[in-house]
Amino acid sequence: MKIFKLIFKNALRHKLRTTLTILGISIAVIAFGLLRTVVSAWYVGVDAASANRLITRQAVSFIFPLPLSYKDKIEKIPGVTDVSYANWFGGVYKDKNQFFSRMAVDPETYFDVVPEFVVPSQELENFKKERNSCIIGADIAKLYKLKVGDQMSLEGDIYPGTWDFVIAGIYQPKFKTTDAMQMLFHWDYVNERMKVEMPGRENQVGWYVVQVGDPSKSAQISSQIDALFKNSPDETKTETERAFTQGFISAYGSIITSMNVMSWAIVGIILLVLGNTMVMAARERTREYAVLKTLGFSAKHIVGLIFGESMFISFLGGGIGLLLTFPIVAGFSQVIPKGIFPVFEIETITVVLSVGAALLIGVLASIFPIQRALGTKIVDGFRFVG
Amino acid sequence: MSEIIQIKNVSKSYWRNSLEIPVLHNITLGVEEGEFLALMGPSGSGKTTLLNLIAGIDRPSRGELSVAGTDIAKLGESALAKWRSSNVGFVFQFYNLLPVLTAYENVELPLLLTKLSKSEKKKHVEAALNIVGLGDRMKHYPKQLSGGQEQRVAIARAIVTDPVILVADEPTGDLDKNSAQEILTLMERLNKEFKKTIVMVTHDQHAAERASRLLHLDKGDLSANGKG
């Protein structure tokens, strides 16, 4: 027999209690993993942001448009290699609960500044030629079983009316973090109708996408762009795409912070659950520890027994929880609308944190029982009545 | 024969808050190698305390205490633990077997601290269990054994390392008459056949009569009585 066998037998002495503790740890690790995955999913857009893209928007708020005429001026700034623009369209496709981004873009330039949207060249050519055509992300095509040539009809809200489009192409995401849930169509198509139906709203763009040759000059170029329009009716705010996306996320800052806090609160709860089990186990075995000490087992052996049992339970619970987290997160990613979280999967850091949390919990939960077992004199241990 | 246990002017007190509770007063005692000593006395007389001091699981407040040539009062905790593992075998009133381990595993426990090979350990454990007559109960858990059998497993555990002395605290206190007789006979055999020095605390006059010497403790003072 080895000490490990005794640890194992001790851990399984109260099968129901140990099973419930392991189950509790597993569920907590699943909840921890799920929450961390949600938090990291929020930041996928930030991670996916290109280093050489700037976003120029209205200085007061993103909801106010900018004049189309700014494009030519921005293009002339040294270091700017390309400029495109887009409008947030909104609208509803079939079911208003199924969200995905719908944007009016400049067909000539947009796919040059967003090369991570990979469109077959023929489809891109067809898109550029047909004013009422659109390009959709592969995930939209998969979700709605759409193919090139199919029609899509949107019910507008920001731009009222019914808007019909023909799918000219389907883009594939270049990277895992690339959003494949966007619908892009001609800015001109929207602008022409605005001219007729809502005069005063024509020739306006939501934001400019500015490509720069050297990302290290982003700050300098941003300042130059904003200086260009200073004291004009439509002052601009230019920032990196990363900062721009981060700005969106910060609007949900309190929710994300809550999730972060909750995920660590769960770790605290697991600690209490295992701590309670270990304290009870050590208390029940006070006499046995006295026997072991009497037989010559030293402090390190007692520490090993309690620590080993604590680690055994925490790792078993943590391991089961972590293994179950993968299929559960995969299940959630099927249910969560793709437009909200384009990428919803467990990151390596979440796995590392879960394992680390299990390790930390195992260590912390054993401290008090170890202290108690070592602090109890042999003679007091024999007198102990549990 | 030489004295294997030498106790000189040993006193022991416990402290409850700031109150000193004297338990043993100036005890002086010598136990010869191969002796079977019984300690009797009323509850609270200090006999278990004296046994604990001899076994190295408690320390005297004053005095000198040498067991098997070692001044155990001067040993540190880990040295004392190591000394106990190789010099003392323990038999308790309530057996104190680990319920999750089989008879074999319980007896094997003290050997986990030795460098014996697996086969040597097996040989020692089987020999110890055969001495106590439980060679056929090796795979039984404590709850599958009678009280007498549990105590015999405990004795096997006490002798498996071939210790110099055996200390027994009320070894028959929790047993019926027949089982108690079996245990006492076994202890007599260990003393006579295997030359083990035994110090036994007991309330039972019949048990004490099996010893070669009987001492009485009363309110912390030692007095000879009857045998020896």
Side-chain angles (χ1 to χ4, degrees), chain A residues 106-124:
Chain A
D106 175 22
E108 295 301 325
T109 55
Y110 196 77
F111 289 93
D112 295 334
V113 296
V114 188
E116 62 266 32
F117 290 1
V118 182
V119 190
S121 55
Q122 187 56 53
E123 290 181 9
L124 186 58

Side-chain angles (χ1 to χ4, degrees), chain B residues 125-144:
Chain B
V125 173
E126 286 175 353
L129 281 167
N130 283 329
I131 288 171
V132 300
L134 287 177
D136 58 342
R137 294 280 194 275
M138 290 184 192
K139 289 182 179 172
H140 286 61
Y141 285 91
K143 66 181 175 190
Q144 296 168 322

